[in-house]
Amino acid sequence: MHLLQDVCCQELLWGDELEYGVFAVDSEARTIKLSCRGSELLAELNKREMSSLHRCEGCTWHPEYGAWMVEATPRMPFSGYAADLLRVERNMRLRRKRILSVLAPDEIAPTVTCLPTMGVGDFVAPAGPVPGPIANSAAIPDSIINPHPRFGALTANIRARRGSNVDIRVPLYHDSQTPEYESESQCRPRVNGVAAGNEAPVMTAAGAPAVHMDAMAFGMGCCCLQVTFQGRDIDESRFMYDQLAVLSPIMLALSAATPILKGRLVDTDVRWNVISASVDDRTPAELGEATAAVTPDPTLVGGGIRRLLKSRYDSISTYLHYCRRRSDNPMYVLERYNDIPCPVDPAAFNTLTQNGVDPALATHVAHLFTRDPLVIFERGVSEVNDEEETDHFENIQSTNWQTVRWKPPPPRTSPSDPNIGWRTEFRSMEVQLTDLENAAFTVFVVLVTRVILAFDLSLYMPLSKRFFWRMHMAPPAVAAAAAAAASLNGTTNGNAGVDHDHNHSHDHEHDSCNQQDTGFEEMTIEEIMMGKGDYYPGLIPLVHAYLEHIGCDSETGSRVHEYMELLRKRASGELPTAATWMRDFVTSHSEYKQDSVVTPGIALDLMTACRDIGEGRRACAELLGDLAIRPVLPETGYDVLLNSNKVGRAAARGLIAKYTNRHSWDEKHTPLPSAASDKPADADATARLKDRLRLEREPSIAFY
């Protein structure tokens, strides 16, 4: 990192990642299954992409954990101009067109987090044996794991390190006929594999009936939406990491889209805890569940006995910013707001600090190194030159999945390598049904980063306080002016139960990391997005203020306004989240028996509806309000070449005859009757037929 710490990139570059699942539909049997053709589709998509390199707008396709999944990103990053905000939805629509163009007639690819019936009965095409040697799952065949060695190794090594299958438990939705909630339920047969025969239902730690899952695929098979930003320099990227970490739970809740798991309605709305448990490789001692003294294992980091409070897929445990310009106490942020345990690897921390790495960054990296590597490729250990390559760091970094990820620049080994800067990846959001929604969430997060930097704001609050929010985000001078104005108006905030911060010192050269504030308070998402009282303006009004400040053009501003209105209505409850809409779809379905069971028929109808909404085939005012989705046509996904290949004589004559005898250029492509069978009904029709025959006898173009 020392070699790269001076890397500076003035231009804002950013992009999104969308994940797709491909499902096979059997309308007659009323079933829907995972279609494990991801590798085949990926190869075809990348092949076709090579024919579109003449276009600036394009896509890049990547493998994902599931054999039924693919990931897509823009081919080139978006730039720091307002007009590029409009490119997001266009590129997402292009990606949808292109993936649709390679699907088989019986396949669909709605942008949903997961297949509702995954893990229930015959849900894979083609089917595979259960259990398999990799996942050892009672419900998931190994064939649904991407065949690349990395993904199978991850699955097997997580199981091996923890000493058992993963244990995922999600509270079951309580409906009027849900058998697990009935007093005699322990003696009743279970459905969809939750429990069977006379076995007691699986319970959560809180004692509620649960949907139980035992394989990594249940979590890593969930699709999501992620956004990555390039910071101006290392300091800006670290500051933005902290700010986006505060925003991450808000955006997770606002984008909620996972109300169904393993064929059951669940009492949660998001995928996060499922993925967290699906890759939890902690030993019983690290979990704090060991019932007796444990002998340290020298092959495991920390001996496998150091207490780790979180899975390796979770929220952050430490802020990262280190205010170099605050000479009196550059660790102010960590000391003030890091109020949860953050275990570190002592050897890693000491090595970093002894080599000049500041304590904040050393804490962050040493926290990553409390985890063991999960995948190591042959010739990827001693053969790696740590002076020039970052493979060992990325091995650990890439398997610490947190709500945000700080990404140092990759080393440049030649002058032709791209000049990539310090990046921050925002990882919490769930994928939405339409490109419009996904674009709205992406654009909002991008603009919030600009708002924070341009207006010198801060979202800092103690890490223990989720869904609390700063009452004042502005620097001290601005806050003082607002307080003076409020005093003149005779108003006070007077919030009871507020956790006040009475530290009034500040650094005028860098106010954003040390602002005088009047505390934090719990707010609704609507208040966070739209403001509260006269002391907190709200994120959406700040976005509009920023767009006016930069002089945003009217076309971009108009579309962004529509995006912000969609998010405002989602935050207020005027429009539901995708999770609420899906749950309502299931509970109002004719096959639903108020037992929390999502049958294959219900799953088919739900996924078909999601497909139709995403492709603009079906209006959905209850989800999108007055916004409409233009139809997504896969045949327009690629440009048509103006080629000069010779046309066959018969084909050419037919085409010319078809178009030279049109009554009107408004006519559609309908074939004209042949001369042999035409029986004109009037003189005009007879004249038209004679003209047609004359043209056929005297063509204006000769074909050889």
Side-chain angles (χ1 to χ4, degrees):
M1 291 186 187
H2 280 307
L3 297 176
L4 300 169
Q5 64 181 343
D6 294 328
V7 170
C8 184
C9 302
Q10 294 297 325
E11 181 183 10
L12 168 65
L13 297 174
W14 55 282
D16 70 274
E17 303 172 28
L18 274 175
E19 296 166 355
Y20 302 85
V22 179
F23 310 138
V25 170
D26 187 334
S27 299
E28 292 187 3
R30 287 189 53 72
T31 61
I32 184 167
K33 304 178 182 181
L34 302 179
S35 179
C36 294
R37 296 203 308 125
S39 296
E40 178 184 341
L41 297 176
L42 186 67
E44 179 62 23
L45 286 163
N46 280 324
K47 176 183 175 183
R48 293 191 182 190
E49 209 65 38
M50 296 303 294
S51 67
S52 300
L53 297 180
H54 61 284
R55 285 281 190 182
C56 293
E57 207 70 83
C59 318
T60 303
W61 303 90
H62 312 272
E64 256 301 331
Y65 177 86
W68 72 98
M69 301 169 70
V70 293
E71 178 188 277
T73 62
R75 185 194 304 141
M76 299 294 292
F78 302 125
S79 75
Y81 290 92
D84 272 28
L85 299 174
L86 298 183
R87 288 180 56 201
V88 179
E89 187 177 353
R90 288 201 302 266
N91 192 274
M92 289 178 174
R93 286 175 60 85
L94 180 65
R95 281 173 262 173
R96 192 185 294 265
K97 291 175 184 179
R98 291 185 174 176
I99 192 170
L100 293 179
S101 73
V102 299
L103 298 184
D106 66 341
E107 289 177 333
I108 63 174
T111 42
V112 295
T113 52
C114 62
L115 180 68
T117 50
M118 179 172 162
V120 182
D122 182 13
F123 70 97
V124 185
V130 173
I134 298 175
N136 190 39
S137 170
I140 298 291
D142 289 347
S143 60
I144 73 169
I145 302 172
N146 188 302
H148 189 284
R150 167 182 167 82
F151 300 106
L154 280 170
T155 307
N157 291 342
I158 286 171
R159 281 202 309 111
R161 192 184 188 283
R162 62 178 281 123
S164 65
N165 278 21
V166 295
D167 184 12
I168 310 165
R169 304 183 185 214
V170 181
L172 182 62
Y173 179 72
H174 188 176
D175 211 339
S176 61
Q177 302 298 316
T178 305
E180 288 83 353
Y181 284 95
E182 297 179 12
S183 58
E184 71 277 16
S185 64
Q186 293 188 9
C187 300
R188 297 180 54 151
R190 302 274 65 78
V191 289
N192 285 0
V194 175
N198 293 327
E199 297 177 6
V202 176
M203 311 298 281
T204 66
V211 175
H212 180 248
M213 294 158 281
D214 67 349
M216 182 175 173
F218 283 108
M220 282 300 191
C222 291
C223 297
C224 67
L225 167 66
Q226 299 173 355
V227 189
T228 300
F229 311 87
Q230 178 174 272
R232 180 179 305 168
D233 52 30
I234 184 173
D235 292 334
E236 183 178 288
S237 69
R238 291 172 63 174
F239 178 72
M240 197 50 59
Y241 173 95
D242 294 356
Q243 306 309 300
L244 291 175
V246 177
L247 188 63
S248 61
I250 311 304
M251 300 310 294
L252 174 63
L254 202 58
S255 63
T258 316
I260 308 167
L261 294 163
K262 202 181 179 186
R264 306 300 297 273
L265 287 173
V266 292
D267 206 26
T268 58
D269 281 0
V270 297
R271 78 200 188 285
W272 194 266
N273 287 343
V274 179
I275 311 182
S276 179
S278 78
V279 296
D280 192 350
D281 68 341
R282 289 176 293 172
T283 66
E286 290 168 337
L287 285 163
E289 297 175 355
T291 56
V294 179
T295 302
D297 183 343
T299 66
L300 301 181
V301 65
I305 61 172
R306 178 168 47 215
R307 185 75 169 92
L308 299 175
L309 300 177
K310 295 180 180 181
S311 166
R312 48 196 310 153
Y313 199 120
D314 215 303
S315 57
I316 70 164
S317 296
T318 178
Y319 286 121
L320 186 53
H321 185 53
Y322 184 79
C323 186
R324 302 174 189 277
R325 284 171 286 185
R326 186 188 167 106
S327 58
D328 60 326
N329 184 13
M331 288 287 289
Y332 171 78
V333 166
L334 270 69
E335 293 175 0
R336 173 67 184 92
Y337 301 113
N338 274 8
D339 66 338
I340 62 175
C342 178
V344 299
D345 183 73
F349 182 84
N350 291 336
T351 298
L352 291 164
T353 53
Q354 289 168 9
N355 285 275
V357 176
D358 65 76
L361 181 53
T363 298
H364 169 80
V365 175
H367 176 61
L368 299 181
F369 275 80
T370 60
R371 313 291 177 171
D372 277 311
L374 292 175
V375 179
I376 298 177
F377 291 102
E378 189 176 359
R379 295 185 297 276
V381 183
S382 59
E383 296 83 356
V384 174
N385 182 354
D386 288 328
E387 297 296 323
E388 299 178 357
E389 301 170 273
T390 59
D391 293 30
H392 288 152
F393 171 74
E394 291 299 338
N395 192 321
I396 296 293
Q397 159 99 328
S398 65
T399 54
N400 273 269
W401 300 276
Q402 298 176 335
T403 47
V404 286
R405 177 179 283 160
W406 183 67
K407 305 173 77 169
R412 300 180 72 211
T413 57
S414 75
S416 61
D417 287 345
N419 187 23
I420 299 174
W422 301 89
R423 295 149 295 152
T424 303
E425 183 179 55
F426 189 72
R427 301 174 42 82
S428 68
M429 294 187 291
E430 310 237 300
V431 70
Q432 304 296 291
L433 300 188
T434 69
D435 300 315
L436 185 153
E437 294 167 280
N438 287 316
F441 278 97
T442 300
V443 167
F444 174 74
V445 176
V446 172
L447 288 174
V448 167
T449 68
R450 302 305 96 189
V451 164
I452 291 169
L453 294 173
F455 293 161
D456 197 18
L457 304 182
S458 166
L459 305 185
Y460 279 119
M461 67 183 65
L463 283 172
S464 63
K465 295 184 178 297
R466 298 184 182 181
F467 292 95
F468 276 66
W469 207 252
R470 291 185 73 99
M471 296 166 61
H472 294 280
M473 301 189 301
V478 178
S487 177
L488 290 174
N489 292 330
T491 60
T492 59
N493 291 336
N495 287 278
V498 172
D499 177 22
H500 290 280
D501 177 4
H502 297 291
N503 189 327
H504 298 295
S505 63
H506 61 271
D507 172 8
H508 288 290
E509 292 185 358
H510 191 53
D511 291 330
S512 60
C513 70
N514 179 28
Q515 296 173 3
Q516 175 183 346
D517 60 68
T518 57
F520 320 96
E521 64 174 278
E522 195 170 17
M523 293 188 190
T524 66
I525 290 186
E526 181 180 17
E527 290 168 338
I528 291 171
M529 297 295 279
M530 294 305 299
K532 185 173 183 180
D534 60 357
Y535 53 90
Y536 170 66
L539 295 177
I540 289 178
L542 284 169
V543 165
H544 287 300
Y546 171 76
L547 292 175
E548 180 176 337
H549 162 69
I550 64 172
C552 180
D553 65 276
S554 59
E555 181 183 5
T556 302
S558 176
R559 191 56 168 171
V560 171
H561 175 74
E562 292 178 336
Y563 292 159
M564 296 305 104
E565 274 296 284
L566 175 67
L567 297 184
R568 179 190 67 78
K569 292 177 181 178
R570 189 74 56 88
S572 69
E574 184 178 341
L575 293 176
T577 62
T580 297
W581 180 85
M582 290 181 184
R583 188 178 285 108
D584 291 345
F585 184 100
V586 171
T587 57
S588 61
H589 195 280
S590 60
E591 291 185 23
Y592 184 65
K593 306 301 182 185
Q594 290 73 51
D595 54 1
S596 307
V597 175
V598 180
T599 65
I602 297 175
L604 171 64
D605 292 342
L606 174 60
M607 293 296 98
T608 301
C610 292
R611 184 274 309 270
D612 291 346
I613 293 168
E615 295 179 19
R617 304 182 183 200
R618 167 177 172 167
C620 191
E622 62 269 30
L623 184 66
L624 301 173
D626 56 2
L627 296 175
I629 305 300
R630 291 181 292 110
V632 177
L633 305 175
E635 60 268 25
T636 64
Y638 298 93
D639 289 342
V640 177
L641 182 66
L642 294 173
N643 68 59
S644 57
N645 296 340
K646 297 299 183 183
V647 182
R649 182 183 180 90
R653 290 175 63 87
L655 287 168
I656 291 174
K658 178 178 179 180
Y659 285 94
T660 55
N661 286 277
R662 286 193 164 208
H663 302 168
S664 165
W665 284 108
D666 293 331
E667 291 180 22
K668 301 298 181 184
H669 295 272
T670 54
L672 293 172
S674 65
S677 61
D678 277 346
K679 294 183 179 179
D682 52 41
D684 290 340
T686 302
R688 288 195 298 271
L689 180 57
K690 288 180 178 179
D691 289 341
R692 169 176 172 171
L693 294 174
R694 176 178 58 78
L695 287 166
E696 290 183 349
R697 288 194 300 270
E698 302 173 4
S700 57
I701 304 176
F703 297 93
Y704 301 97

